[in-house]
Amino acid sequence: MNVRSFFWTDSTIVKCWLASVPSRWQAFVANRVSEIQHLTKKGVWNHIPGTENPADIISRGMTPVQLQYQMLWFEGPIWLKQNRCTWPVETEFSPDQFDKETLEEKSSVVLPIEVTAPNEIFSRLSTFTQTVRLVAWMRQYCHNAKKQNTRKIGNISFEEFLAASKVLVKLSQAESFGQELKDLSHSQEVRSTSRIANLNPHLVDGIIRVGGRLANAPVSENHKHPIILDHHHPLSIMIVQHYHEFLYHAGQQLLIASVRGNCVQCFRVKPKVMEQLMADLPPDRVNPAPPFQKVGVDYCGPLLITYPHRRSSPMKCFVSVFVCLVCKAVHLELVADLTTGAFLGALKRFIGRRGKPILIMIDNGRNFVGARREIAELQRLLRSQQFQTGVIFETCKEGINFKFIPARSPNFGGLWEAAVKSFKTVFKRTVALKVL
């Protein structure tokens, strides 16, 4: 049965609450307004004076003796029994008549931001190539207007096309990263709140590029330090659209790899951005080379082994870890003791299996700190002049360059230190306390 319902309230503020969307008010009011509106969605809310509101009798307090004579409580207002046309004229209340604090209206925080529209050069033509050629022709015209003796005529050359591309990049970065460009121009770091702060940006020929540790890698500048562009800028959209059509509407993965340059070195090194900036990787780490042509060496141990004799007691031994500096391949050799001859024997076995390296890097022992006698023995071995002289003498005869890293700088040997950690983790989980 479809019956129309009427609801009455003597609060003008409540009337304003119910006449607006709940999201306009603060959480406490909004939740209750939303529930009331849901329960009374088929009804009409009207205003009634407080003197004619039966609910007002109880809210103000009254004894039972007094209540029995209140006909307003039992029968309601007199006009409620009459025809609807005799009801009081409805008064409209607007939220603008009240203070926002009284209405508990949700405050809105507005931060005025100056938005600079992109230069119209980016909207004149629809493709990246056409836009670059337009800029190149404009540059050629300006050059001819200034210098009558060295006029440029003919088609746009590759150098002019590349220079025009850089002009568009600089214009795009000036519109997207104005503050960052200003900071870098004054030889300052970008602010920590900048959205490109994690990229360690730096300025090269007026263009903001990504930082990194590939300064010594034999690849192009665009691969080592890519240009930073705002993905919302029209120039970025045109570049992506250009490669999308150039690659015959390639999919997302192929398109992204093509735009980023598909740099194998960047993918392999993939440095993590940390608070402490790392130095550039040395040339031996980034120049391509066959496996184990350039290696780093470290000892780990001691381990316990038994020889195949009856009643033989366990003996200490060590493991020599050879790590390729380029591809990070690992070769392990068992070393019987901490002598120069034992190490040279392990080196000869390594060469017999993996080939002769041209460079070997090793700790000089000063980074070993520990109280155990075994560590002290290893430290004395690597620091001893006899060991260094003997090893360098033997390797020089084979045409091998042998280098010791600087003192108290274990970060120079981080590659083979990581390999030692990996070996120990796997070895301890597999062998445990067994004596091999």
Side-chain angles (χ1 to χ4, degrees), residues 226-326:
I227 296 173
I228 301 176
L229 291 176
D230 184 3
H231 64 287
H232 289 302
H233 197 273
L235 179 62
S236 305
I237 299 175
M238 282 196 295
I239 292 176
V240 173
Q241 184 68 26
H242 166 74
Y243 278 96
H244 178 67
E245 296 176 356
F246 178 76
L247 298 173
Y248 299 100
H249 303 276
Q252 294 181 359
Q253 296 299 326
L254 176 60
L255 178 62
I256 293 174
S258 177
V259 172
R260 288 180 176 173
N262 199 16
C263 180
V264 178
Q265 284 80 0
C266 293
F267 178 81
R268 184 178 64 204
V269 179
K270 199 177 183 180
K272 296 181 179 179
V273 180
M274 300 181 180
E275 294 182 1
Q276 179 65 38
L277 297 179
M278 303 295 290
D280 290 329
L281 294 172
D284 298 325
R285 290 284 306 277
V286 295
N287 289 313
F292 295 108
Q293 190 177 64
K294 302 174 182 179
V295 297
V297 185
D298 196 10
Y299 270 35
C300 68
L303 310 175
L304 294 179
I305 61 172
T306 57
Y307 290 94
H309 304 296
R310 297 185 64 182
R311 298 179 181 177
S312 60
S313 59
M315 304 287 293
K316 290 188 300 183
C317 69
F318 298 84
V319 173
S320 181
V321 181
F322 296 83
V323 184
C324 176
L325 298 179
V326 178

Side-chain angles (χ1 to χ4, degrees), residues 38-171:
H38 176 70
L39 297 174
T40 63
K41 58 184 177 180
K42 294 183 180 181
V44 179
W45 278 93
N46 297 321
H47 179 263
I48 183 175
T51 55
E52 298 182 357
N53 186 7
D56 195 61
I57 297 176
I58 297 298
S59 64
R60 296 182 183 275
M62 183 174 291
T63 63
V65 176
Q66 296 172 329
L67 184 61
Q68 65 178 339
Y69 299 108
Q70 293 292 330
M71 301 305 299
L72 180 64
W73 171 258
F74 295 102
E75 299 181 3
I78 299 175
W79 48 264
L80 193 60
K81 302 177 183 179
Q82 301 173 1
N83 194 291
R84 184 182 172 187
C85 61
T86 62
W87 290 3
V89 178
E90 180 64 23
T91 304
E92 294 294 336
F93 297 96
S94 173
D96 298 333
Q97 300 175 0
F98 302 92
D99 184 65
K100 290 187 176 182
E101 294 184 1
T102 304
L103 289 175
E104 299 188 46
E105 187 173 0
K106 186 185 297 183
S107 58
S108 301
V109 179
V110 179
L111 297 178
I113 300 176
E114 183 180 355
V115 179
T116 304
N119 193 290
E120 61 177 351
I121 191 68
F122 297 109
S123 58
R124 283 192 170 273
L125 299 173
S126 58
T127 66
F128 174 70
T129 304
Q130 292 175 345
T131 304
V132 174
R133 290 182 64 84
L134 174 61
V135 174
W137 284 115
M138 294 169 61
R139 285 170 52 84
Q140 189 179 98
Y141 173 81
C142 294
H143 174 82
N144 293 337
K146 294 179 181 178
K147 300 180 180 180
Q148 300 292 337
N149 298 330
T150 58
R151 294 175 58 88
K152 294 182 179 180
I153 58 175
N155 295 325
I156 300 298
S157 64
F158 174 75
E159 289 76 13
E160 292 175 324
F161 189 89
L162 188 61
S165 302
K166 291 183 177 180
V167 170
L168 290 175
V169 169
K170 291 179 180 179
L171 183 58

Side-chain angles (χ1 to χ4, degrees), residues 322 333-335 339-352:
F322 296 83
E333 281 292 339
L334 196 65
V335 183
T339 61
T340 304
F343 173 76
L344 292 176
L347 180 60
K348 291 180 180 179
R349 294 193 297 274
F350 165 76
I351 295 176

